[in-house]
């Protein structure tokens, strides 16, 4: 049997690095980032994929600066939408599948229950709109040979993310004010990577899936938990900055974010037979990993 050759784009990002760290033994994967393959360049993408001939492309490349995107729409659109279309066109020519990663920010946040994969979308920001447009390109070009995995509030011991920002700010400030009226689910990049590796070898699973850790939290809850777990793990001192809740209206940002973006994961858990991990427990694991790497 031929080994599945996998190309991971955005290989130096938070998810790309986690995919590299968690790759199952024997996986034949090539990790590239923008310096080797800029997904916004259609000819480069076509030529690169024709020469590598992967059976599967995992697209971890994206424009993820949510607030910056409001004043840089063209770049965000080229990476999050055109880039996905370029990969899909090259995949169709070279008989490759695509696993693509998207976001809870495609939703508007007014649902009273967790969003299901086929619920109507209503992105509130440039970032959300460009990610939604990328989803649509993939579904138009390669519907039979692709899956979209939406995730949320991604963090890990590598890269820049909310957990690492909060840990740093707590050593610099006495008080951190964090919004308590936006609710979602903090998600370890390890959870998403594990799901992507599972999906890699299940070509029959197509369409949209939701993948986050279990449970819900506000950003304030998440920050408070980071404070507690950081202190228990010995990477924060007891006199580190304390956390206070504020409202979104007290902390205006260029991009609007959904008030409620919890994702319903049941179809993914069912398909893959996953035992979900609660976000708080995964936070403990990831802080332990961070401590061991220091
Ligand atoms: N982070 C979150 O909280 C979050 C939440 C929901 C969904 N997601 C989704 O999860 C996925 C992974 O996110 P992440 O946190 O790993 O993002 P990330 O750390 O920002 O990684 C994205 C990678 O893509 C690269 N890239 C940018 N433009 C490129 C281009 N034109 N061609 C090729 N590569 C390019 C980036 O390189 P540079 O750094 O050099 O630009 C970076 O290495 C994305 O699809 C994102 O939308 C993330």
């Amino acid at each position: 049997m031929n080994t599945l050759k996998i190309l991971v784009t955005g290989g130096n990002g938070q998810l790309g690095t986690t995919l590299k760290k968690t790759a199952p033994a024997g996986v034949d994967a090539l990790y590239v980032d923008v310096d080797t393959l800029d997904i916004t360049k259609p000819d480069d993408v076509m030529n690169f994929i024709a020469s590598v001939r992967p059976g599967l492309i995992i697209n971890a490349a994206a424009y993820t600066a949510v607030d910056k995107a409001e004043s840089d729409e063209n770049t965000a659109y080229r990476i999050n939408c055109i880039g996905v279309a370029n990969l899909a066109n090259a995949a169709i020519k070279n008989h490759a599948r695509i696993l693509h990663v998207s976001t809870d920010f495609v939703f508007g946040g007014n649902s009273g229950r967790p969003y299901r994969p086929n619920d109507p979308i209503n992105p509130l920001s440039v970032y959300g709109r460009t990610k939604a447009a990328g989803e649509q390109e993939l579904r138009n070009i390669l519907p039979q040979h692709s899956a979209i995995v939406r995730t949320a509030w991604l963090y890990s011991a590598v890269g820049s993310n909310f957990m690492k920002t909060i840990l740093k700010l707590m050593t610099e400030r006495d008080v951190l004010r964090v919004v308590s009226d936006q609710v979602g689910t903090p998600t370890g990049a390890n959870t998403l990577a594990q799901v992507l590796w599972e999906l890699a070898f299940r070509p029959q699973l197509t369409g949209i899936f939701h993948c986050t850790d279990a449970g819900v939290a506000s950003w304030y809850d998440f920050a408070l938990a980071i404070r507690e777990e950081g202190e228990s793990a010995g990477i924060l001192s007891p006199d580190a900055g304390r956390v206070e809740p504020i409202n979104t209206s007290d902390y205006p940002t260029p991009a609007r974010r959904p008030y409620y973006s919890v994702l319903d994961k049941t179809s993914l858990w069912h398909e893959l037979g996953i035992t979900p991990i609660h976000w708080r427990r995964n936070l403990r694991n990831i802080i332990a990993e961070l401590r061991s790497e220091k």
Side-chain angles (χ1 to χ4, degrees):
M1 199 178 75
N2 286 339
T3 317
L4 177 66
K5 193 167 192 180
I6 301 174
L7 174 68
V8 178
T9 59
N12 294 340
Q14 179 174 219
L15 174 61
T17 308
T18 309
L19 282 164
K20 212 177 296 175
K21 275 170 93 173
T22 58
V27 156
D28 178 12
L30 174 67
Y31 302 85
V32 293
D33 212 290
V34 63
D35 48 345
T36 308
L37 179 63
D38 180 343
I39 65 166
T40 65
K41 299 193 169 144
D43 293 344
D44 291 1
V45 172
M46 193 59 87
N47 293 336
F48 191 84
I49 287 172
S51 71
V52 172
R53 297 199 68 84
L56 171 69
I57 300 162
I58 302 180
N59 183 30
Y63 184 106
T64 56
V66 176
D67 286 316
K68 197 169 157 217
E70 294 297 309
S71 52
D72 193 14
E73 180 159 6
N74 189 36
T75 313
Y77 182 76
R78 280 178 38 239
I79 298 170
N80 290 343
C81 178
I82 304 292
V84 181
N86 291 339
L87 290 171
N89 284 321
I92 215 168
K93 265 234 155 106
N94 292 282
H95 311 289
R97 283 164 60 222
I98 295 189
L99 288 177
H100 173 63
V101 181
S102 192
T103 172
D104 56 330
F105 282 13
V106 297
F107 291 114
N110 294 321
S111 166
R113 58 154 175 79
Y115 283 100
R116 297 179 190 130
N118 291 320
D119 278 342
I121 60 168
N122 178 27
L124 304 176
S125 62
V126 166
Y127 168 72
R129 282 195 292 280
T130 60
K131 292 294 291 185
E135 289 185 1
Q136 197 53 52
E137 289 289 348
L138 188 58
R139 296 180 76 189
N140 289 346
I141 300 169
L142 202 66
Q144 311 294 332
H145 301 288
S146 67
I148 293 164
V149 182
R150 293 192 188 122
T151 191
W153 299 26
L154 211 58
Y155 71 100
S156 64
V158 295
S160 25
N161 55 63
F162 182 82
M163 177 195 74
K164 291 180 77 181
T165 304
I166 290 289
L167 284 171
K168 180 168 176 288
L169 290 179
M170 275 172 185
T171 64
E172 298 169 354
R173 297 189 191 166
D174 294 334
V175 181
L176 259 83
R177 295 185 178 84
V178 183
V179 293
S180 61
D181 56 356
Q182 288 171 29
V183 173
T185 308
T187 302
N190 54 350
T191 297
L192 176 60
Q194 185 196 354
V195 159
L196 290 169
W197 287 127
E198 287 284 339
L199 288 173
F201 297 97
R202 301 194 199 205
Q204 73 280 13
L205 295 180
T206 60
I208 302 177
F209 296 94
H210 284 172
C211 170
T212 70
D213 283 329
V216 298
S218 68
W219 290 109
Y220 164 72
D221 296 324
F222 189 23
L224 205 56
I226 293 165
R227 171 81 174 73
E228 290 179 8
E229 297 296 342
E231 193 182 330
S232 316
I235 58 172
L236 283 177
S237 75
D239 60 0
R242 61 174 205 283
V243 190
E244 285 181 1
I246 55 168
N247 293 325
T248 300
S249 55
D250 300 324
Y251 185 73
T253 54
R256 274 179 73 204
R257 289 164 169 77
Y259 278 107
Y260 178 91
S261 62
V262 178
L263 301 179
D264 183 330
K265 281 82 61 181
T266 45
S267 65
L268 181 86
W269 290 346
H270 178 75
E271 287 288 358
L272 299 185
I274 285 177
T275 307
I277 183 167
H278 194 273
W279 69 264
R280 177 77 191 229
R281 180 152 178 206
N282 206 12
L283 174 63
R284 196 167 307 151
N285 294 343
I286 290 171
I287 284 190
E289 188 186 331
L290 190 64
R291 186 188 51 189
S292 73
E293 284 174 6
K294 278 199 166 178

